[in-house]
């Protein structure tokens, strides 16, 4: 039997199934709902790795007001582990939606499925200033206003 995470990853690879994913995961008992993105939506997070010496680009596949989930190709493995702290420097989205965040994250889950060519990282916002909350809400508002 597949876990919710496996089903979620599978569904997000197909834009037409996003509504199915939303419905299934709205039933979770979370304080905030997740907002899913597909690879085709091209929502890219720029992250500063532990130690602050390297920036990486990664696809963000969902986020909420509590955290986010991103993926890295296995051949780009940075040996990230649960408990590692990252800094989300920027989210790059469609035109006129790029913005800088500088939000600290902690990796809570690392997902590695043998049949997929990427690792998944579930992260929790460690430090979340109110100005960052406003930026996230603005980003989501613009995203949905464009009919996504």
């Amino acid at each position: 039997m597949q876990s919710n995470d496996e089903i979620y990853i599978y569904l997000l690879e197909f834009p037409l199934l996003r509504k199915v994913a939303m419905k299934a995961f709205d039933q979770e008992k979370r304080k905030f709902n997740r907002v899913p993105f597909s690879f085709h939506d091209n929502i890219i997070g720029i992250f500063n790795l532990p130690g602050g010496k390297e920036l990486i680009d990664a696809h963000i596949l969902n986020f909420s007001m509590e955290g986010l989930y991103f993926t890295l190709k296995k051949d780009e493995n940075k040996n990230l582990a649960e408990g590692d702290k990252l800094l989300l420097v920027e989210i790059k989205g469609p035109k006129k939606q790029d913005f800088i965040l500088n939000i600290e994250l902690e990796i809570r889950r690392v997902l590695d499925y043998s049949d997929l060519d990427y690792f998944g990282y579930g992260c929790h916002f460690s430090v979340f200033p109110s100005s960052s909350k406003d930026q996230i809400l603005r980003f989501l508002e613009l995203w949905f206003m464009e009919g996504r």
Side-chain angles (χ1 to χ4, degrees):
M1 178 161 182
Q2 289 183 317
S3 72
N4 281 350
D5 288 327
E6 288 175 295
I7 294 167
Y8 185 72
I9 290 167
Y10 176 78
L11 290 174
L12 287 178
E13 292 194 20
F14 301 93
L16 297 177
L17 297 176
R18 282 171 52 188
K19 287 186 181 181
V20 175
M22 282 288 286
K23 191 177 242 183
F25 288 91
D26 277 346
Q27 296 171 5
E28 290 185 38
K29 296 185 181 203
R30 294 181 174 269
K31 190 173 179 181
F32 297 99
N33 287 334
R34 298 181 196 184
V35 177
F37 302 107
S38 74
F39 283 101
H40 303 289
D41 291 328
N42 205 31
I43 303 299
I44 304 296
I46 311 299
F47 297 89
N48 197 339
L49 294 179
K53 296 178 183 172
E54 184 179 0
L55 292 176
I56 59 166
D57 298 6
H59 275 94
I60 295 176
L61 294 185
N62 75 54
F63 68 81
S64 73
M65 296 305 286
E66 293 180 324
L68 57 81
Y69 179 84
F70 71 90
T71 62
L72 283 176
K73 289 185 179 179
K74 287 185 177 177
D75 61 357
E76 298 173 6
N77 183 16
K78 301 298 180 183
N79 296 316
L80 298 174
E82 289 180 14
D84 283 352
K85 302 247 188 219
L86 308 172
L87 188 66
L88 174 60
V89 178
E90 184 175 7
I91 292 178
K92 292 184 171 267
K95 294 179 191 175
K96 300 180 185 175
Q97 293 187 18
D98 295 355
F99 57 97
I100 295 175
L101 293 171
N102 292 315
I103 299 174
E104 186 177 301
L105 299 163
E106 178 182 343
I107 296 176
R108 294 277 177 96
R109 290 179 313 175
V110 178
L111 304 173
D112 178 10
Y113 299 110
S114 58
D115 55 338
L116 299 176
D117 64 347
Y118 54 86
F119 292 107
Y121 300 92
C123 302
H124 179 74
F125 295 127
S126 304
V127 179
F128 200 37
S130 61
S131 61
S132 296
K133 289 179 187 176
D134 293 340
Q135 288 177 323
I136 292 281
L137 288 172
R138 189 181 84 229
F139 173 74
L140 292 174
E141 183 178 274
L142 288 170
W143 180 259
F144 287 111
M145 283 175 42
E146 289 190 0
R148 302 283 198 292

